[in-house]
Amino acid sequence: MASLKRSDSMADNMPEALRQSRYHMKKCFTKYVEKGRRVMKLQHLLDEMDTVIGDTAERATLFQGLLGDIWLSTQEAVVNPPYVAFAIRPSPGFWELVKVNSQDLSVEPITSTDYLKYKELIYDHNWSKDEEALELDFGAFEPDTPHLTLSSSIGNGTNFVSKFITSKLSGEPEKAQPLVDYLLSLNHHGDNLMINETLSTTSKLQMALLVAQVYLSGIPPQTPYEKFDLSFKEWGFEKGWGDTAERARDTMRSLSEVLQAPDPTNMERFFSRLPTVFNVVIFSPHGYFGQADVLGLPDTGGQVVYILDQVKALEQELLLRISQQGLNFKPQIIVVTRLIPDARGTKCNQELESIEGTKHSSILRVPFRRVEDGSVLQKWVSRFDVYPYIEKFTREVTAKVLELMEGKPDLIIGNYSDGNLGATLMATRLGVTQATIAHALESHSAFTMPGLARVVSGINIFDPKFNIASPGADQSIYFPYTEKQRRFTQFTPAIEELLFNPNDTRDHMYCHSASSPSTTWFLYSLLAN
């Protein structure tokens, strides 16, 4: 099959591809436009092609060439007779929009605005023609900073940033002064970390690193930090380098190499060891967020289990890192959600609740208040209707978090759309780093909501601020299937009762269909065996 390169233009390649199979393509496009305006997904395009080109061998031949690459890269098409507009994604993150005239098979590139207006004609003809319709172009607000360029690099912003910073640090020692200033800014509740004002320049820091590494090389690798703490302070170093002489020496070696001959690997390695995150806030406002008796209630399901699992894994990771950094601080994780006075027998009307299986994590519940008078909403509110309350909710949350943590959090994480809105408001107000938990992202860089807004340029996924991080998991629950001894066999009788009891109960309805035995046994084998 011909290879479609990212540098190739659809508008340039498509005419030749259509010309090579003009007879069949003319019939296909006539078929596409005969039903009038509509949106067609790839499968629709292929199905209607099958009806026009009945011979399987002929269809296979068509798809051996450039036409096959173009068609199989098409995400959707919009029919607006006599035109068919194609949204083609030759590789992740790259889109091309073209329209084909079904009468003469001529091809023209079109803008995202034109393409979206074609779609809007199907659903709201008047709005698509409205010159005052709200049109959003977030691309216009992008900062003038370097961006990723390869599809394979999407979600690996940290690596890109490391390379970029490395290039900026190379050369004269003075170029590394911003890194020194950053290290000087590190502290936790007023306690300096890593270095103090004694090491205020690159040259001073380099000299002190050399002295410290020579010293550490002369003592046993497992010597605890407390044994050489005073010597470090005399040279201008503070705690945070490591819990042992060996780990402190490794961290210092990484920094020395970054200052002398910067490279991305050492840059990432050094930054991964810095003590920067101790207190974390996670926003998950909607639903009945609790640890018992909540699953199955409105807007309450997997996201509750997911967040609780993440918190347990995150706390363990923070404890490990803090210990390895030679610090005795305790992390604090607060999951922020809504307090619901009418809690339906759950603890969702309790303001503060410790999270089971953790030592330093808790749930903070804050009520939604009416915008007009500040009174508390008593009952549950659908996740689709929470947005008018988020701003006031976030202001109250911010005050309570600052009180509980006795200062700003180091990281604010948003879960779901409402959680990310709250996290953004709080992070912006406090000047704190924000992370996003994204469950389902819009795959199109341009989209429309007829009657509301037209987004012609959305999020740029090549922005280096985007980093995909694998979620943590409770390994006491999620483990390899080969470790049979860790299975919850104590639940086998209850599972058998739930699946095989022929009598209907509140929790169980017996399936009497002919296919039920095999289905039931399959479920049983997954759960119990």
Side-chain angles (χ1 to χ4, degrees):
M1 181 178 287
S3 177
L4 190 63
K5 299 178 181 178
R6 205 193 82 210
S7 58
D8 294 335
S9 165
M10 296 296 108
D12 292 339
N13 285 304
M14 207 166 181
E16 176 61 21
L18 296 176
R19 187 194 63 78
Q20 291 175 0
S21 306
R22 185 175 181 82
Y23 172 73
H24 289 307
M25 288 298 98
K26 195 73 168 63
K27 292 176 64 177
C28 281
F29 277 89
T30 300
K31 181 70 173 177
Y32 291 158
V33 300
E34 71 178 10
K35 294 182 181 179
R37 289 174 179 156
R38 55 177 172 152
V39 175
M40 301 179 71
K41 296 298 183 181
L42 174 60
Q43 192 57 51
H44 301 146
L45 295 170
L46 296 177
D47 288 345
E48 296 200 4
M49 180 180 284
D50 288 350
T51 64
V52 172
I53 309 173
D55 189 282
T56 304
E58 283 190 76
R59 289 200 306 272
T61 301
L62 281 177
F63 278 89
Q64 288 298 315
L66 186 58
L67 184 67
D69 282 330
I70 294 174
W71 242 247
L72 296 178
S73 297
T74 297
Q75 302 299 303
E76 68 176 15
V78 181
V79 179
N80 184 33
Y83 296 103
V84 180
F86 289 81
I88 305 170
R89 192 182 73 155
S91 58
F94 295 96
W95 290 84
E96 280 207 53
L97 305 171
V98 298
K99 69 176 181 180
V100 178
N101 189 319
S102 62
Q103 297 174 348
D104 59 11
L105 299 186
S106 59
V107 181
E108 296 178 47
I110 58 175
T111 65
S112 56
T113 298
D114 293 334
Y115 181 80
L116 295 177
K117 284 184 176 181
Y118 272 12
K119 295 182 76 172
E120 293 159 3
L121 283 169
I122 301 171
Y123 304 102
D124 192 333
H125 184 277
N126 292 332
W127 193 78
S128 69
K129 300 293 185 180
D130 186 354
E131 294 184 357
E132 297 182 357
L134 177 60
E135 186 170 288
L136 303 175
D137 181 1
F138 293 105
F141 298 97
E142 284 190 9
D144 186 21
T145 56
H147 282 62
L148 308 169
T149 57
L150 301 176
S151 297
S152 58
S153 62
I154 294 172
N156 293 315
T158 299
N159 181 262
F160 177 84
V161 170
S162 296
K163 293 177 180 178
F164 179 74
I165 294 177
T166 296
S167 67
K168 293 294 184 182
L169 293 180
S170 299
E172 300 175 0
E174 291 74 19
K175 291 185 177 180
Q177 188 59 41
L179 175 57
V180 177
D181 294 338
Y182 173 71
L183 294 177
L184 285 169
S185 72
L186 296 180
N187 74 89
H188 182 62
H189 288 321
D191 292 337
N192 288 331
L193 299 173
M194 304 303 285
I195 64 175
N196 57 43
E197 288 296 334
T198 304
L199 306 178
S200 58
T201 66
T202 305
S203 57
K204 290 179 180 179
L205 177 57
Q206 286 180 306
M207 183 60 68
L209 285 169
L210 180 61
V211 172
Q213 288 178 80
V214 171
Y215 170 81
L216 292 172
S217 298
I219 62 177
Q222 297 307 311
T223 303
Y225 178 82
E226 292 76 14
K227 297 293 184 180
F228 51 88
D229 180 22
L230 294 179
S231 297
F232 262 40
K233 274 191 173 294
E234 290 178 7
W235 298 324
F237 295 110
E238 300 290 344
K239 53 192 173 184
W241 292 94
D243 57 336
T244 64
E246 181 179 35
R247 190 168 183 86
R249 186 174 66 248
D250 287 346
T251 306
M252 288 185 158
R253 184 186 300 118
S254 292
L255 178 56
S256 293
E257 292 177 358
V258 165
L259 295 174
Q260 293 174 19
D263 71 90
T265 301
N266 271 313
M267 181 70 71
E268 283 192 53
R269 187 167 182 268
F270 174 67
F271 272 91
S272 70
R273 291 194 171 197
L274 289 180
T276 55
V277 178
F278 305 98
N279 296 330
V280 180
V281 171
I282 301 176
F283 270 80
S284 188
H286 72 261
Y288 290 81
F289 196 101
Q291 301 180 81
D293 304 320
V294 297
L295 295 183
L297 293 176
D299 285 344
T300 308
Q303 95 277 6
V304 173
V305 178
Y306 174 81
I307 292 297
L308 292 174
D309 278 350
Q310 293 301 298
V311 167
K312 293 170 186 176
L314 180 58
E315 182 181 289
Q316 290 300 313
E317 180 66 20
L318 289 176
L319 286 169
L320 175 62
R321 291 194 179 197
I322 291 170
S323 173
Q324 291 176 338
Q325 290 158 354
L327 304 174
N328 57 7
F329 304 138
K330 299 301 180 185
Q332 191 173 7
I333 303 174
I334 296 178
V335 178
V336 172
T337 190
R338 182 199 165 196
L339 185 146
I340 307 175
D342 185 359
R344 297 177 61 173
T346 71
K347 291 185 178 180
C348 292
N349 56 358
Q350 179 178 318
E351 182 183 48
L352 206 59
E353 179 185 1
S354 297
I355 294 179
E356 297 172 5
T358 71
K359 295 181 179 179
H360 312 287
S361 303
S362 57
I363 301 170
L364 170 65
R365 298 186 181 92
V366 173
F368 282 170
R369 298 184 184 276
R370 292 182 176 85
V371 177
E372 57 273 15
D373 59 9
S375 60
V376 173
L377 270 71
Q378 299 295 312
K379 296 184 178 296
W380 162 83
V381 176
S382 166
R383 70 181 186 275
F384 301 110
D385 300 322
V386 301
Y387 296 96
Y389 308 103
I390 294 296
E391 188 170 358
K392 186 181 288 290
F393 168 79
T394 302
R395 283 200 295 268
E396 191 169 343
V397 165
T398 301
K400 289 184 178 293
V401 165
L402 292 175
E403 179 183 352
L404 290 170
M405 289 187 166
E406 299 180 354
K408 296 180 182 180
D410 304 301
L411 178 65
I412 301 173
I413 302 173
N415 178 50
Y416 209 81
S417 300
D418 54 333
N420 277 295
L421 176 56
T424 298
L425 292 171
M426 185 176 181
T428 302
R429 186 170 293 129
L430 298 181
V432 173
T433 300
Q434 177 191 349
T436 295
I437 297 175
H439 297 280
L441 293 177
E442 171 61 66
S443 61
H444 295 267
S445 60
F447 58 94
T448 183
M449 295 174 282
L452 182 61
R454 177 189 305 127
V455 180
V456 299
S457 177
I459 290 175
N460 183 354
I461 59 175
F462 291 96
D463 193 308
K465 69 183 177 183
F466 293 117
N467 289 276
I468 299 174
S470 300
D474 185 347
Q475 295 186 17
S476 67
I477 297 175
Y478 304 99
F479 51 83
Y481 75 95
T482 54
E483 299 180 19
K484 296 182 179 181
Q485 73 281 3
R486 300 179 64 184
R487 296 180 181 178
F488 302 140
T489 54
Q490 68 270 28
F491 296 124
T492 300
I495 294 172
E496 289 179 337
E497 175 71 14
L498 181 65
L499 294 177
F500 298 126
N501 184 356
N503 300 314
D504 293 346
T505 67
R506 183 177 65 87
D507 303 317
H508 158 92
M509 185 173 69
Y510 188 68
C511 180
H512 298 276
S513 69
S515 62
S516 63
S518 59
T519 304
T520 303
W521 180 254
F522 172 70
L523 290 171
Y524 172 72
S525 64
L526 286 178
L527 293 169
N529 294 330

